[in-house]
Amino acid sequence: MSKEIRTRFAPSPTGYMHIGNLRTAIYEYLIAKSQNGKFILRIEDTDQERYVDNAREVIYETLQSVNLKYDEGPDIGGPYGPYVQSERKAIYKEYAKKLVELGGAYYCFCSKERLDQLRKGSESQGGVFEYDKFCRLLTNEEVESRLQNNEAYVIRQKVPETGSTSFEDLVYGTITVENQTLADGILMKADGMPTYNFANVVDDHLMEITHVVRGSEYLSSTPKYNLIYQSFGWEIPTYLHVAPIMKTSEKKLSKREGDASFQDLLEKGFLKEAIINYIVLLGWSPSTNEEFFTLSELKEQFSLKGLSKSPAIFDINKLKWMNGEYLRRMSAEDFHKVAIPYYKEIVHCGIDLKKVSLLLQHRTEILSEIPEKIDFLAELPNYDSQLYINKKMKTDLVIALNHLRASKEELLLLNQWKHDEIEGCLTTLASKLGVKNGQVLWPVRIALSGKASTPGGAVELAELLGQDETLRRLEVGIFKLG
Ligand code: GLU
């Protein structure tokens, strides 16, 4: 029987969900779930300086809201816990000691002053700081006595100084690194916390992770991690590094510029389903031309072959288009539900909100556009009379004034304030006047909205506003033009 697939999502608690990380989580979830495997959540919080309140909750809530159900994790437990790295300090300490004994790491007692000196030296020569491996040469006795003296230390990886290390990445192919280019990096810090470079290896091994999926920024360090696996005699997992999501061909998405966070996109009015669908396709291509996928469809369709190593550019217009498609494909009731929070301004106007939703559903790309599309319903804006002039509709200020007057008279007499009756009334008026419908409907639409672009035309707007308000707004228009 083949081994159970186990993947993990290992975010650092930053207080927001980077969409690149969320995409990695989806791939990890899909790789596990498409093969009946397990998907694990692990919180990587060893960098305590970057501590942010509530940050774990953001992770739990985001994963929950997009239905990425993990099988094991800090808040739900599991057989390989704890799932928070800061709670695993003792484990790393034990393994770091073991690694020293196995010859894969060494104690380093170099002071901050000495390291600063080295750093200055290499920087003044235009180089990049690299530890000079001074403590690699300490004898066992010396190390013992300094430990006895409670001297502060870190534990560094003892990277072979010759040869090369290779591995096979399922996305990037064979990666080979000359060992001499790898630094003796810190595995355990002086505060007893591991660095990512050590913790990821220990945890992935102990949690029996079979497939490590992460950003391609870790590609060049992976040989170092593999050297640690080898020192312990542990099986190396399968690696899949994924290309970053870019803002432009040179620039990555960044939280600071407000374009990398999942929460920010939600606040901008994108639907989570559309965001998920869109980001999955940034870095993975299905085998067909289909572009729309739910998570459960993805579980069926996902295959590793579609993962790409070329960075994808995040195209907000494409996401907007996709979001608009999602809105259009919703049932009228579902659209109404997601649109309601955007109706705050018109909630108290006695307008039939369901009808507003029907008008908006096919004319909205992102929900946050809604308030601006419907603000005129709450209050007629102070508009420019020039709007009445429309070449295509063949209207000018005189025609508009005459037709507003006539429309008002006819609409005043209408007993039934319903769509078809209003439409009948205005189109009958147009034919009575011997003019095209547009010559009546355009001025009415402007009078009712004060805008050239509205969701729905004159008839729909009149129906929404009701008879009294329609007549009042026509009167305002007549006054403006008279
Ligand atoms: N904590 C790392 C990060 O957030 C995780 C990398 C990994 O998945 O191994 O970048």
Side-chain angles (χ1 to χ4, degrees):
M1 212 180 81
S2 63
K3 221 165 135 189
E4 180 182 56
I5 304 286
R6 289 174 60 84
T7 61
R8 88 295 190 275
F9 179 42
S12 302
T14 54
Y16 71 99
M17 181 65 74
H18 188 287
I19 56 167
N21 283 354
L22 183 57
R23 186 192 59 167
T24 307
I26 302 169
Y27 292 155
E28 285 153 350
Y29 174 83
L30 293 173
I31 290 170
K33 293 299 154 188
S34 60
Q35 299 173 77
N36 278 326
K38 294 258 157 55
F39 171 58
I40 286 106
L41 173 65
R42 177 172 82 221
I43 303 286
E44 301 207 326
D45 62 345
T46 55
D47 192 351
Q48 301 270 313
E49 277 168 30
R50 283 168 50 196
Y51 184 82
V52 184
D53 266 357
N54 246 359
R56 283 195 213 170
E57 283 66 30
V58 170
I59 296 168
Y60 305 150
E61 281 160 21
T62 308
L63 294 182
Q64 200 177 17
S65 78
V66 299
N67 268 330
L68 289 182
K69 286 205 188 80
Y70 36 94
D71 300 288
E72 299 163 28
D75 53 337
I76 56 170
Y80 298 85
Y83 294 90
V84 177
Q85 288 188 328
S86 59
E87 293 167 19
R88 299 171 63 83
K89 261 171 101 169
I91 301 176
Y92 306 121
K93 196 169 172 193
E94 178 198 330
Y95 279 97
K97 259 173 101 179
K98 221 184 221 168
L99 189 63
V100 172
E101 283 158 27
L102 290 168
Y106 59 94
Y107 290 92
C108 169
F109 300 92
C110 288
S111 64
K112 188 176 173 301
E113 290 69 34
R114 177 169 191 277
L115 296 174
D116 283 347
Q117 207 66 46
L118 280 180
R119 187 169 291 117
K120 263 194 217 137
S122 42
E123 278 166 10
S124 70
Q125 285 170 28
V128 189
F129 165 71
E130 202 172 291
Y131 179 59
D132 63 356
K133 305 184 182 175
F134 183 77
C135 289
R136 198 167 160 141
L137 301 173
L138 296 180
T139 61
N140 286 348
E141 293 70 36
E142 210 167 335
V143 169
E144 257 333 294
S145 90
R146 293 176 80 164
L147 288 176
Q148 292 288 330
N149 283 341
N150 281 331
E151 278 189 44
Y153 66 83
V154 300
I155 294 181
R156 287 183 184 273
Q157 185 171 358
K158 194 189 264 180
V159 177
E161 290 174 299
T162 55
S164 61
T165 306
S166 293
F167 76 100
E168 228 17 74
D169 184 89
L170 286 195
V171 179
Y172 283 81
T174 311
I175 304 290
T176 304
V177 172
E178 295 301 320
N179 293 338
Q180 61 177 4
T181 66
L182 302 173
D184 281 1
I186 296 177
L187 302 180
M188 291 294 285
K189 296 183 275 189
D191 64 2
M193 275 291 191
T195 55
Y196 170 79
N197 295 341
F198 190 52
N200 92 86
V201 173
V202 172
D203 287 347
D204 286 341
H205 169 71
L206 294 179
M207 296 180 182
E208 297 192 27
I209 301 303
T210 57
H211 291 64
V212 169
V213 186
R214 61 186 169 210
S216 59
E217 65 272 27
Y218 293 98
L219 199 55
S220 59
S221 314
T222 300
K224 271 205 307 209
Y225 310 150
N226 289 344
L227 288 167
I228 301 178
Y229 280 97
Q230 279 164 5
S231 299
F232 279 120
W234 292 343
E235 192 182 335
I236 291 173
T238 299
Y239 290 107
L240 293 106
H241 287 86
V242 291
I245 302 180
M246 307 294 286
K247 181 170 179 153
T248 65
S249 56
E250 278 89 39
K251 236 165 122 191
K252 284 193 187 182
L253 287 180
S254 90
K255 160 76 178 148
R256 231 181 307 141
E257 291 176 33
D259 48 28
S261 140
F262 177 65
Q263 284 78 8
D264 287 351
L265 289 176
L266 291 179
E267 267 162 43
K268 284 182 189 161
F270 289 99
L271 297 170
K272 55 189 186 213
E273 295 81 2
I275 304 173
I276 296 294
N277 193 152
Y278 179 64
I279 62 176
V280 163
L281 297 176
L282 290 174
W284 175 77
S285 325
S287 55
T288 63
N289 286 334
E290 181 57 49
E291 282 190 291
F292 290 87
F293 297 99
T294 61
L295 199 57
S296 46
E297 284 162 354
L298 283 168
K299 261 193 257 177
E300 303 291 315
Q301 298 275 326
F302 192 79
S303 97
L304 298 180
K305 268 192 262 136
L307 287 170
S308 156
K309 58 182 174 188
S310 37
I313 294 183
F314 184 88
D315 179 351
I316 194 84
N317 291 323
K318 175 90 200 264
L319 175 58
K320 273 189 188 161
W321 167 79
M322 187 165 252
N323 201 69
E325 278 297 309
Y326 264 83
L327 292 175
R328 284 187 276 281
R329 291 173 184 210
M330 281 178 155
S331 68
E333 294 82 65
D334 285 347
F335 178 82
H336 186 56
K337 267 189 224 146
V338 296
I340 281 178
Y342 298 86
Y343 291 158
K344 280 197 195 94
E345 275 186 65
I346 59 164
V347 137
H348 303 294
C349 304
I351 286 172
D352 184 342
L353 298 178
K354 284 214 165 119
K355 284 194 177 142
V356 176
S357 288
L358 289 177
L359 290 178
L360 287 174
Q361 181 164 9
H362 293 269
R363 295 178 172 89
T364 305
E365 279 199 318
I366 51 175
L367 295 166
S368 54
E369 295 166 355
I370 291 180
E372 186 246 313
K373 282 185 193 286
I374 57 168
D375 54 2
F376 69 91
L377 290 172
E379 196 179 344
L380 181 66
N382 186 11
Y383 59 95
D384 187 342
S385 305
Q386 298 300 310
L387 285 179
Y388 284 108
I389 306 171
N390 186 322
K391 256 201 192 147
K392 204 171 128 216
M393 299 293 174
K394 299 198 169 59
T395 55
D396 60 24
L397 296 180
V398 177
I399 291 175
L401 176 60
N402 290 336
H403 292 178
L404 286 187
R405 281 191 174 133
S407 301
K408 196 191 144 205
E409 272 166 34
E410 294 296 326
L411 290 172
L412 185 64
L413 301 173
L414 207 61
N415 297 326
Q416 290 243 43
W417 199 257
K418 286 192 183 152
H419 182 277
D420 292 354
E421 280 69 16
I422 302 169
E423 187 171 50
C425 171
L426 293 175
T427 52
T428 309
L429 171 65
S431 58
K432 247 201 298 189
L433 295 170
V435 299
K436 288 220 163 111
N437 288 343
Q439 282 186 297
V440 171
L441 297 176
W442 181 259
V444 173
R445 181 208 282 231
I446 298 299
L448 297 188
S449 66
K451 283 179 147 184
S453 159
T454 51
V459 177
E460 287 81 15
L461 301 187
E463 190 194 6
L464 280 179
L465 290 166
Q467 194 164 17
D468 291 350
E469 182 62 9
T470 297
L471 295 174
R472 191 188 72 78
R473 291 188 181 200
L474 291 176
E475 190 58 49
V476 174
I478 293 165
F479 183 76
K480 235 177 175 13
L481 295 172

